[in-house]
Amino acid sequence: MDKKITIISGASRGIGRAVSLRLAHEGHFVIVLARNAEEIGELEHEIDEAGGKALAIACDISDEKQVEEAVNQVIRDFKRIDCVVNNAGIGVFKHADQLEADDWDRVMDINVKGSFLLTKAVLPHMKAVGKGHILGIASDVSKRTFAGGSLYTASKYAQHAFFESLRREVRSLGIKVSVVYPGLVDTYFHGEAQGEVKQAEYLHADDIAQAVSYILNTPPHVLVDEIMLHPMCQEW
Ligand code: NJP
């Protein structure tokens, strides 16, 4: 198998879907993960119809057993994993005293523990061959805060810290770690449908996919630590 074997979490819509379509078009065999089996099944079909290669695996990224089973299936089928895009994420935006403990657990479990679980599951396979590329889709609010964002920004700061530390642990082993920090992107994340007029000036999901593609296409001696992108309409 000449194609790069690339796992993308949160692939059913938004940024993950755009990354999956772009990487498949560029010749990756994409393993698309999300909870909604129907949506990722349709994405697999769409990629296959366009001449690409995809495999959909329904998986809740916050569930250790499901993540391990998904990675084991990829290893059984393909023997290796070249790249992983940790993209699955959600936001809950309330003032701190309005947050429920359950909100806290859900956001942290998906945004932070999900990145940890998928990374932990793939690392032994990358270490065994001395190469691999792990990406995180974090946020510009990994580096700034705002009222109503205590939970979401805490999760994105944590994701940022996790990947920054990870880079220091695995670079000498030949494994790259890169993080993309988007500003506002037109997806389903803000509670609107993708393409709604309100989001017309936001970044497009494929803008993020292009950044991911750039990062993954650098030559072996180049490591892109991070890329931050904003739409022109958003002051940072
Ligand atoms: O959001 P959306 P985006 N297990 O809602 C999946 C960050 N970001 O594309 O499971 C597995 O369109 C869900 O699939 P499903 C953001 O923090 C965004 O904008 O079927 N997957 C869907 O495919 C996030 O990390 C903006 O419901 C789970 C996907 O996640 C990343 O970008 C700005 C899951 C979400 O698609 C992608 O978000 C920014 C689980 N438990 C950072 N829970 C922005 N859009 O403006 C959810 O700074 N998913």
Side-chain angles (χ1 to χ4, degrees):
M1 169 75 68
D2 290 341
K3 288 178 178 294
K4 279 188 178 167
I5 309 299
T6 299
I7 299 177
I8 299 123
S9 73
S12 59
R13 55 180 189 269
I15 293 170
R17 188 173 197 280
V19 169
S20 304
L21 288 168
R22 176 164 284 277
L23 295 185
H25 182 70
E26 292 180 0
H28 294 237
F29 196 124
V30 291
I31 319 297
V32 293
L33 308 183
R35 291 166 304 179
N36 189 318
E38 198 180 327
E39 284 181 354
I40 51 172
E42 282 167 12
L43 176 61
E44 176 189 303
H45 184 68
E46 184 178 335
I47 289 171
D48 287 347
E49 285 285 291
K53 292 283 182 196
L55 172 66
I57 306 178
C59 172
D60 182 336
I61 207 69
S62 65
D63 182 313
E64 183 170 21
K65 199 157 174 286
Q66 290 187 35
V67 173
E68 281 176 357
E69 277 171 8
V71 169
N72 287 342
Q73 183 181 339
V74 177
I75 291 296
R76 267 198 311 276
D77 290 356
F78 303 100
K79 313 283 181 254
R80 61 172 216 278
I81 294 162
D82 298 302
C83 313
V84 175
V85 183
N86 288 282
N87 164 76
I90 61 165
V92 172
F93 302 98
K94 297 176 190 170
H95 282 204
D97 59 346
Q98 302 299 315
L99 285 166
E100 303 293 340
D102 181 56
D103 294 327
W104 188 272
D105 289 344
R106 230 161 20 97
V107 171
M108 288 297 181
D109 280 358
I110 296 171
N111 296 5
V112 189
K113 194 167 102 183
S115 292
F116 157 66
L117 290 176
L118 185 54
T119 300
K120 179 176 162 62
V122 301
L123 262 181
H125 306 289
M126 291 184 171
K127 279 184 170 179
V129 293
K131 62 179 178 177
H133 204 146
I134 297 172
L135 263 92
I137 306 295
S139 174
D140 65 342
V141 302
S142 294
K143 302 186 182 198
R144 72 177 171 90
T145 57
F146 62 95
S150 57
L151 171 54
Y152 183 65
T153 61
S155 78
K156 290 291 167 177
Y157 269 67
Q159 216 185 7
H160 160 74
F162 174 72
F163 287 119
E164 289 270 301
S165 300
L166 180 72
R167 184 180 303 121
R168 294 174 193 279
E169 291 172 9
V170 300
R171 178 167 30 195
S172 62
L173 307 175
I175 300 167
K176 296 181 178 183
V177 178
S178 307
V179 186
V180 177
Y181 300 91
L184 293 166
V185 190
D186 174 20
T187 67
Y188 295 86
F189 180 85
H190 303 280
E192 310 276 336
Q194 194 167 357
E196 281 294 310
V197 176
K198 198 179 147 209
Q199 304 186 156
E201 292 187 17
Y202 291 3
L203 294 170
H204 303 161
D206 188 59
D207 297 327
I208 311 306
Q210 286 184 48
V212 169
S213 163
Y214 168 73
I215 288 170
L216 292 181
N217 281 309
T218 51
H221 71 287
V222 176
L223 169 58
V224 180
D225 291 7
E226 60 180 60
I227 292 181
M228 184 179 283
L229 302 89
H230 287 102
M232 284 294 280
C233 68
Q234 183 184 13
E235 189 174 353
W236 192 57

